[in-house]
Amino acid sequence: MTAHWHVLGVGAIGGLFACRLKSGGASVTLLDHRDHVRHHAPADLTLTLTGDATGSHTLPWQPVTATPPIEHLLVCTKAFGVESAIASVAHRLTENSVVVLLCNGMGHEAVVAPYLDGATLVLGSTTAGSRLTSPGERQISGNGATTLGRPLPPHDAPDWVVAWQNGVPEFLWTHDIHRVLLAKAALNAVINPLTGVHRVTNGELLSAQFFSQTQQVTGEVQGLLVAAGAQDLADALPDQVRAVCLATANNHSSMRVDLDRGQRTEIESIVGWLLGHLSHHRPPTPLLSSLYETILTADKQDRKSTRLNSSHLVISYAVFCLK
């Protein structure tokens, strides 16, 4: 039986995975959590992939205000938009529904729990790189690896993973998704804030100008992981940071892109969560905390009227470092 997937949040990653699921044999319907402010959704949308992956799929739209139950739901919104996205389709979820969250950061499980109505929750992580170049085109900068798993038992892989196995490169089902998400959050906590504040590419973090800061933030995140009992993840982090910076040397992190565009970042779900939830006995994190406060301040500005440019962020960051 062919699984039917609804994709909520059809941006760069959502559009990519809608195409991947379609390629894997699933039927796919597009949703957008902003549909409730539209008069109507388009009849369909053609999504074209370029770059490391190519292909084109024409997929139907359906407004979130529709009433038929959703069988399988993939959510690919920004971290801070997860709750409102799930709330917009909560009336369509049942105890037979499956909800997959493929979003950055941590803490989403507790946020969406009140809206699930018995639906099965699955959490995911991907290192795929995708850029939205037009409403119908996604430029793929890296196929990456994708991992899914249930946060609660049973942890065995369900039948519907066939479409993921067939359509998603380097797909893995895991029995310990929290470990995977924690490792990615730790990696993002090193790379994203530094590239965002300094407005540099990922590869520049290994340059002479920024390498000492990269090492310091890496060490501080390692300290958080060790305090939380994740020594193995802490040991692996320096090599992972270096490998990602080399493999994506010319890429801009999502946090840098958000700051460049004057948009809200995902700092709270990544660094904020690590600082506030990972350990009751938090070791000192002076540089990571300074980066966090700097970007959080930028997030709190009225970005439509006051956009913080690179010099403003660096000055703000320097002030925090002097405190």
Side-chain angles (χ1 to χ4, degrees), residues 6-279:
H6 287 76
V7 179
L8 179 58
V10 190
I13 293 296
L16 169 61
F17 276 85
C19 292
R20 285 179 165 181
L21 287 172
K22 183 69 174 180
S23 297
S27 61
V28 178
T29 298
L30 305 178
L31 294 172
D32 190 326
H33 60 284
R34 296 166 295 180
D35 280 349
H36 65 282
V37 301
R38 299 179 181 179
H39 294 297
H40 62 277
D44 50 46
L45 177 66
T46 298
L47 299 178
T48 301
L49 304 181
T50 62
D52 287 359
T54 60
S56 184
H57 298 278
T58 300
L59 304 172
W61 282 87
Q62 190 179 70
V64 293
T65 53
T67 57
I70 290 177
E71 180 182 325
H72 301 91
L73 176 67
L74 171 62
V75 181
C76 296
T77 64
K78 287 287 190 177
F80 51 78
V82 169
E83 182 175 6
S84 62
I86 292 293
S88 71
V89 293
H91 63 287
R92 303 182 60 181
L93 301 178
T94 73
E95 62 181 9
N96 297 316
S97 300
V98 173
V99 177
V100 176
L101 301 184
L102 196 60
C103 308
N104 285 329
M106 305 285 287
H108 306 313
E109 184 179 351
V111 169
V112 304
Y115 304 98
L116 294 182
D117 194 26
T120 298
L121 179 65
V122 175
L123 303 177
S125 171
T126 186
T127 59
S130 179
R131 184 165 63 94
L132 184 65
T133 54
S134 74
E137 183 174 308
R138 276 78 180 151
Q139 183 174 3
I140 313 306
S141 57
N143 286 322
T146 301
T147 305
L148 299 183
R150 292 191 181 107
L152 299 174
H155 295 297
D156 294 339
D159 294 339
W160 52 257
V161 298
V162 172
W164 292 76
Q165 293 167 335
N166 292 339
V168 178
E170 294 188 49
F171 173 78
L172 176 68
W173 179 270
T174 181
H175 291 184
D176 191 0
I177 190 62
H178 282 129
R179 173 187 167 83
V180 174
L181 295 175
L182 180 57
K184 185 182 180 185
L187 179 64
N188 285 344
V190 176
I191 295 175
N192 286 17
L194 282 170
T195 56
V197 165
H198 294 297
R199 296 299 213 278
V200 295
T201 62
N202 294 351
E204 287 177 272
L205 294 186
L206 302 180
S207 69
Q209 182 177 0
F210 299 108
F211 187 58
S212 63
Q213 291 188 36
T214 302
Q215 285 186 308
Q216 182 175 342
V217 175
T218 300
E220 291 177 6
V221 175
Q222 284 182 291
L224 292 172
L225 292 171
V226 171
Q231 180 71 56
D232 55 338
L233 296 184
D235 292 341
L237 186 60
D239 287 342
Q240 290 176 339
V241 170
R242 179 174 177 80
V244 170
C245 287
L246 289 173
T248 63
N250 296 321
N251 291 4
H252 296 174
S253 72
S254 60
M255 195 164 292
R256 177 192 168 170
V257 171
D258 288 337
L259 288 167
D260 284 345
R261 294 175 178 174
Q263 297 174 343
R264 184 178 176 183
T265 74
E266 297 177 306
I267 191 72
E268 192 62 75
S269 296
I270 299 172
V271 179
W273 191 91
L274 292 178
L275 293 175
H277 296 83
L278 201 53
S279 173

